[in-house]
Amino acid sequence: MLAKEKDPYLALLAYRSSPQFSSYSPAELLMGRKLRSTVPIHPDKLKPELPDHDLFKRSNDQYKEKMKENHDKNPKVRPLLPVNKGDNVMVRDMQREGYAASSSDDITRRTNIMTDTGPLIRNRADITNIPTRCSERTRKVPRYLTDFDCT
């Protein structure tokens, strides 16, 4: 919006007076009335009238739930299996196998990995568990076969 408009103040005015997901504009929620903008509006609509906060709260909660549902549909959003000391792992960015020398359970989720080229430190999301039975016959694990069960 700011890129389209030459005057940044008009762009901000347009944003502040545009209704959002809850059918209220940011200006209505803040000041309790519509702003006078470049879009013609009846003078009666400019008179102060408090928005229905219960309606806003319900629609805001529904909006957040919908956003969470859409976020959780992403296949990358799933709990990762823990990496234990000595587990065979694949480092995705280097396409190298190694074993976990140590891993942390704190918020950093860092894992120390020993590879043939030396030690590495990676986040848990950047490594893939390799089942022990499969590591002898699989040198490079394709990305679509991550965390697979080899039978």
Side-chain angles (χ1 to χ4, degrees):
M1 194 179 272
L2 284 169
K4 292 180 183 178
E5 186 68 44
K6 293 180 183 176
D7 186 5
Y9 295 106
L10 285 177
L12 286 173
L13 177 65
Y15 171 74
R16 291 175 182 150
S17 61
S18 300
Q20 303 296 318
F21 60 89
S22 65
S23 73
Y24 291 115
S25 69
E28 283 180 275
L29 293 172
L30 182 65
M31 294 181 273
R33 68 179 186 89
K34 294 185 184 246
L35 294 179
R36 183 181 299 161
S37 65
T38 56
V39 178
I41 190 169
H42 195 273
D44 289 341
K45 297 285 185 180
L46 294 174
K47 292 182 180 170
E49 181 181 323
L50 290 177
D52 185 3
H53 287 287
D54 292 333
L55 174 67
F56 172 74
K57 178 85 169 130
R58 280 193 308 264
S59 63
N60 190 27
D61 290 344
Q62 288 174 353
Y63 177 75
K64 286 181 180 180
E65 286 176 18
K66 186 70 174 171
M67 292 295 283
K68 182 178 176 1
E69 286 176 19
N70 289 338
H71 179 267
D72 290 346
K73 285 180 184 176
N74 186 347
K76 290 184 179 182
V77 180
R78 59 184 161 87
L80 296 170
L81 299 173
V83 175
N84 299 318
K85 186 175 181 178
D87 285 353
N88 291 329
V89 294
M90 170 69 76
V91 181
R92 289 185 184 176
D93 60 341
M94 298 181 70
Q95 291 296 314
R96 293 230 165 99
E97 284 187 33
Y99 67 91
S102 67
S103 64
S104 66
D105 292 329
D106 62 356
I107 197 164
T108 60
R109 302 177 310 214
R110 292 177 11 166
T111 303
N112 294 329
I113 304 163
M114 291 301 295
T115 63
D116 55 350
T117 59
L120 298 172
I121 298 175
R122 291 291 186 271
N123 188 304
R124 174 60 186 96
D126 297 328
I127 60 175
T128 304
N129 284 353
I130 300 175
T132 308
R133 295 179 296 198
C134 301
S135 62
E136 293 85 25
R137 61 185 171 156
T138 308
R139 293 304 298 158
K140 286 191 175 182
V141 178
R143 191 171 214 164
Y144 61 90
L145 293 177
T146 59
D147 294 332
F148 61 95
D149 183 27
C150 187
T151 56

